[in-house]
Amino acid sequence: MYQHRDWQGDLLELPVSKVVCVGKNYSDHIKEMGDNTPQQPLLFIKPETALCDITQPIAIPDGFGSVHYEVELAVLIGLPLKNADEGRVANAIVGYGIAIDLTLRDLQAECKKAGEPWEKAKAFDNSCPISGFIPVGQFGDAQQASLSLSINGQVRQNGNTREMITPILPLISYMSRFFTLRPGDIVLTGTPSGVGPIEHGDNFIVALNGKEISSRVL
């Protein structure tokens, strides 16, 4: 069962709950997907059952078509947020990590074509492998953070949070207008370009500000 940890693997005393995510928050990713830039942040939620430890081998589902990776900066919330301004958001952030938003791309495309919600493609079990968190006081400027993902020795994604369309603080403030964020909630902040399929047996490395984590796909 997933539990919040720090970057060194020590347990954090915060409950595990929902993950609030944003789609289409990097222009280069929007272009590669052939989509339009949304007028407002595109939000969706993953349940706590989506969370799993990125340092452990990751199981991906069979029978639903292509499974895509999307590397993202993850933000751990430590105080309740509802209709919060950016100052309160800043005070509520306790740490930053790196996550992969796994997506059943074929199923998502079918749902979009049918005009149906696509939680099945985004919120399935173990769809959010995630690292431990670096305390906010040790992280530096989160709006200038580098993140990357390599598969089998080949860099697939390499971006920086300064490229976000909606930056971290206004994004979380916007989220809090619709969803009360509670201690232990996680926010995912969008993915840069380079997304693509991940396969059984792949080895991958994610990196946040040069700090690397290795894992593999079962």
Side-chain angles (χ1 to χ4, degrees):
M1 181 179 295
Y2 171 83
Q3 293 177 282
H4 296 313
R5 298 179 182 270
D6 66 16
W7 194 263
Q8 286 70 41
D10 294 327
L11 287 174
L12 298 176
E13 293 184 1
L14 285 170
V16 177
S17 187
K18 63 185 179 292
V19 185
V20 184
C21 312
V22 61
K24 302 183 183 180
N25 202 29
Y26 286 75
S27 295
D28 52 358
H29 173 57
I30 293 171
K31 291 176 183 176
E32 76 176 349
M33 299 300 291
D35 289 332
N36 297 318
T37 302
Q39 294 185 350
Q40 297 179 333
L42 174 62
L43 305 182
F44 61 96
I45 288 179
K46 292 176 182 270
E48 64 176 275
T49 49
L51 289 163
C52 61
D53 185 346
I54 203 171
T55 66
Q56 301 300 312
I58 295 167
I60 58 174
D62 290 314
F64 299 105
S66 183
V67 183
H68 278 208
Y69 56 81
E70 299 182 8
V71 71
E72 309 202 14
L73 180 75
V75 184
L76 182 61
I77 302 299
L79 294 172
L81 295 173
K82 178 62 179 176
N83 292 320
D85 61 23
E86 292 180 28
R88 180 159 177 79
V89 170
N91 289 332
I93 295 172
V94 296
Y96 297 97
I98 192 166
I100 303 176
D101 171 15
L102 292 177
T103 303
L104 299 173
R105 192 69 76 198
D106 295 335
L107 182 57
Q108 184 188 37
E110 291 173 9
C111 292
K112 286 182 176 180
K113 185 177 180 180
E116 298 173 352
W118 31 267
E119 275 79 5
K120 291 184 294 185
K122 282 283 192 179
F124 57 92
D125 289 353
N126 299 322
S127 63
C128 190
I130 194 165
S131 72
F133 291 89
I134 301 169
V136 64
Q138 301 175 19
F139 191 78
D141 185 356
Q143 208 58 71
Q144 298 287 331
S146 63
L147 58 161
S148 66
L149 182 147
S150 301
I151 297 179
N152 301 328
Q154 185 175 45
V155 177
R156 301 291 183 87
Q157 290 188 274
N158 189 15
N160 193 287
T161 57
R162 63 173 172 263
E163 301 161 358
M164 289 179 183
I165 295 171
T166 305
I168 297 164
L169 296 185
L171 173 63
I172 298 176
S173 175
Y174 179 81
M175 288 175 170
S176 77
R177 292 169 52 189
F178 303 94
F179 313 113
T180 297
L181 298 174
R182 293 175 173 163
D185 283 352
I186 292 169
V187 169
L188 298 192
T189 54
T191 192
S193 63
V195 304
I198 196 166
E199 307 284 351
H200 295 293
D202 281 346
N203 295 299
F204 67 88
I205 297 173
V206 293
L208 177 60
N209 283 342
K211 298 178 183 290
E212 293 186 347
I213 297 174
S214 301
S215 192
R216 64 186 179 89
V217 183
L218 292 175

